[in-house]
């Protein structure tokens, strides 16, 4: 099933999928780290806890751009199919547009997830560091 979804979006879906995996891994790692630090009351600096969040911020910026790259490659494929067809049919154009829209949506979803994860983790880090001071 995953392979089918990835093929529907074209080649750009693979780097987008890699960004999604990185987002989930960093998010889970930070959640586990924060839970352990909170439970064990280990002293730590806010800066050291926030370093991985910059990767989430970078992913939030890159994912939509990659999605739009998928849009461009999908449109190129659509117009290539139109130019090679003896007669233009809606199905020929629709396949490229489907690829284009699929990658754009996937890139935007990844960006939203990375942004929300970064914000919530930053909030949790701030709260944890403030609780350590008291």
């Amino acid at each position: 099933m995953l392979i089918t979804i990835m093929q529907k979006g074209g080649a750009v879906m693979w780097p987008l999928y890699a960004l999604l995996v990185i987002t989930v891994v960093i998010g889970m790692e930070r959640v586990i780290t924060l839970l352990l630090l909170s439970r064990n009351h280990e002293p730590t600096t806010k800066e050291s806890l926030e370093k991985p969040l910059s990767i989430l911020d970078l992913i939030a910026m890159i994912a939509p751009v990659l999605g739009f790259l998928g849009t461009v490659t999908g449109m190129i494929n659509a117009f290539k199919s139109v130019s090679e067809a003896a007669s233009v049919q809606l199905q020929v154009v629709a396949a490229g547009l489907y690829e284009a829209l699929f990658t754009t949506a996937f890139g935007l979803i990844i960006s939203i997830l990375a942004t929300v994860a970064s914000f919530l983790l930053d909030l949790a880090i701030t709260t944890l560091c403030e609780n350590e001071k008291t």
Side-chain angles (χ1 to χ4, degrees):
M1 181 173 146
L2 178 61
I3 299 291
T4 305
I5 292 171
M6 301 308 287
Q7 288 173 342
K8 287 180 182 178
V12 177
M13 286 296 290
W14 294 103
L16 284 170
Y17 182 70
L19 292 179
L20 176 62
V21 170
I22 293 168
T23 299
V24 170
V25 167
I26 289 174
M28 295 301 295
E29 184 274 333
R30 287 290 89 186
V31 166
I32 291 168
T33 298
L34 293 175
L35 288 173
L36 290 173
L37 287 173
S38 175
R39 189 178 72 168
N40 297 336
H41 302 292
E42 294 179 24
T44 186
T45 63
K46 184 176 180 180
E47 292 77 25
S48 67
L49 292 174
E50 288 180 333
K51 276 186 183 177
L53 299 187
S54 62
I55 296 171
L56 291 179
D57 295 336
L58 180 64
I59 289 172
M61 290 186 293
I62 291 175
V65 175
L66 276 175
F68 293 137
L69 177 62
T71 299
V72 171
T73 58
M75 297 300 286
I76 290 170
N77 289 337
F79 286 114
K80 180 182 177 199
S81 299
V82 168
S83 71
E84 293 173 350
S87 64
V88 178
Q89 297 177 345
L90 183 58
Q91 291 84 2
V92 172
V93 178
L97 295 177
Y98 180 77
E99 177 183 327
L101 295 174
F102 201 80
T103 57
T104 301
F106 202 61
L108 291 172
I109 289 168
I110 293 167
S111 178
I112 291 167
L113 289 174
T115 301
V116 169
S118 179
F119 174 78
L120 292 175
L121 288 167
D122 186 52
L123 189 64
I125 290 168
T126 301
T127 304
L128 177 69
C129 290
E130 286 176 0
N131 288 342
E132 284 182 359
K133 291 178 183 177
T134 57

